[in-house]
Amino acid sequence: MHIDILTLFPEMFGGPFNASILKRAVDQKRISISLHNIRDYTHDRHHTVDDYAYGGGAGMVLKPEPIFEAVEKLKAESGNKESRPLPVILLTPQGRLFCQRIARELSQHSHLILICGHYEGVDERIRQYLVTDEVSIGDYVLSGGELAAMVVVDAVVRLLPGVLGSEASPVDDSHASGLLEYPQYTRPEVYREWSVPEVLLSGNHARIARWRRQQAIQRTLQRRPELLDKANLSLKEAGSIDKLKESGANRGDVVNGYGITSRSQNKP
Ligand code: SAM
């Protein structure tokens, strides 16, 4: 996959893109990322990228010309062989809310172009006539699209084949199947007075899988019950949710083993 990012602040990407999984993905040539400074597509002496808003009001608006020129050049160079149009994605708090499903959808493309807005945002004609998609990373307003672009790139890239060490890792992740992930433990077996649930030490893989599935459902019910409406549950599992609600298991937090205990109850 190749990702082009249009930004006024390419230097912001250095840290996140030069560490951990993203760096490894680049080093292993599973992805390539190009940062394009929008200023490089201006033609006046001052490299003007923004201007006052028509109609008045505080704040500057990103001009259409440099962004159109940059995207059109990248599209022409892309040689997009997909039957679908090349995704040109504007990061904006007004876009569709980013989630694991959208990350999966974007991971199916071989090339993405991301546009980071700044100041008051971008000229409306960029939305209307240039971009194919608008994505928001949450219902809050950032100063620029750079952090949002980093979030999108990270979530998409870790889904690409071979990027994570183990192919199975993203499958169990929270949101991958519509559920939050089950609790994870590592050594030591007993830390202070807190033990790892016995089932995880049993070596019985079927039992462990059942426990994890049950914990994932329970945890989702407790923390994000609205996700269960769209989760892939068997009839039996769907039935068990009513029982969990009756037992009060939808309240509090899962802390230890099969039992549902609140955090304070579990303190030594
Ligand atoms: N005035 C704009 C509005 O109300 O829709 C907000 C502009 S914001 C200060 C500047 C830029 O940050 C936006 O153009 C966008 O690229 C980015 N941005 C801000 N919040 C975002 C979010 N939640 N998701 C994605 N991008 C965001």
Side-chain angles (χ1 to χ4, degrees), residues 117-183:
H118 225 86
Y119 313 123
E120 270 311 300
V122 302
D123 185 283
E124 184 65 15
R125 288 162 290 193
I126 292 170
R127 286 182 200 285
Q128 288 178 310
Y129 304 114
L130 187 65
V131 306
T132 61
D133 199 355
E134 299 179 38
V135 167
S136 163
I137 64 157
D139 290 340
Y140 41 79
V141 177
L142 301 163
S143 308
E146 286 73 16
L147 289 171
M150 292 178 218
V151 167
V152 169
V153 168
D154 188 286
V156 168
V157 168
R158 68 197 304 287
L159 295 176
L160 299 178
V163 164
L164 293 183
S166 152
E167 286 291 336
S169 317
V171 174
D172 285 338
D173 274 345
S174 296
H175 303 291
S177 66
L179 296 175
L180 302 183
E181 196 183 46
Y182 48 79

Side-chain angles (χ1 to χ4, degrees), residues 158-214:
R158 68 197 304 287
L159 295 176
L160 299 178
V163 164
L164 293 183
S166 152
E167 286 291 336
S169 317
V171 174
D172 285 338
D173 274 345
S174 296
H175 303 291
S177 66
L179 296 175
L180 302 183
E181 196 183 46
Y182 48 79
Q184 299 273 19
Y185 295 85
T186 186
R187 283 188 284 190
E189 197 179 310
V190 180
Y191 175 63
R192 298 190 175 172
E193 290 169 31
W194 305 309
S195 305
V196 171
E198 175 275 324
V199 58
L200 297 178
L201 310 173
S202 69
N204 182 333
H205 296 298
R207 218 179 127 215
I208 292 171
R210 274 199 306 279
W211 181 85
R212 285 181 163 167
R213 178 78 183 165
Q214 181 221 339

Side-chain angles (χ1 to χ4, degrees), residues 176-179 213 217 227-235 237-238:
S177 66
L179 296 175
R213 178 78 183 165
I217 293 172
L227 295 178
L228 289 170
D229 296 340
K230 289 188 189 156
N232 221 344
L233 300 179
S234 69
L235 273 178
E237 287 170 339

Side-chain angles (χ1 to χ4, degrees), residues 6-8 37-54 59-72 90 115-128 130-131:
L6 273 63
T7 169
L8 287 178
N37 194 328
I38 296 169
R39 271 185 214 287
D40 293 343
Y41 294 86
T42 55
H43 300 287
D44 64 313
R45 223 156 43 93
H46 301 290
H47 300 290
T48 312
V49 289
D50 56 347
D51 212 330
Y52 295 102
Y54 276 117
M60 306 296 275
V61 177
L62 290 190
K63 289 163 66 60
E65 306 96 306
I67 294 181
F68 266 86
E69 189 176 318
V71 170
E72 283 164 359
L90 177 67
I115 303 173
C116 306
H118 225 86
Y119 313 123
E120 270 311 300
V122 302
D123 185 283
E124 184 65 15
R125 288 162 290 193
I126 292 170
R127 286 182 200 285
Q128 288 178 310
L130 187 65
V131 306

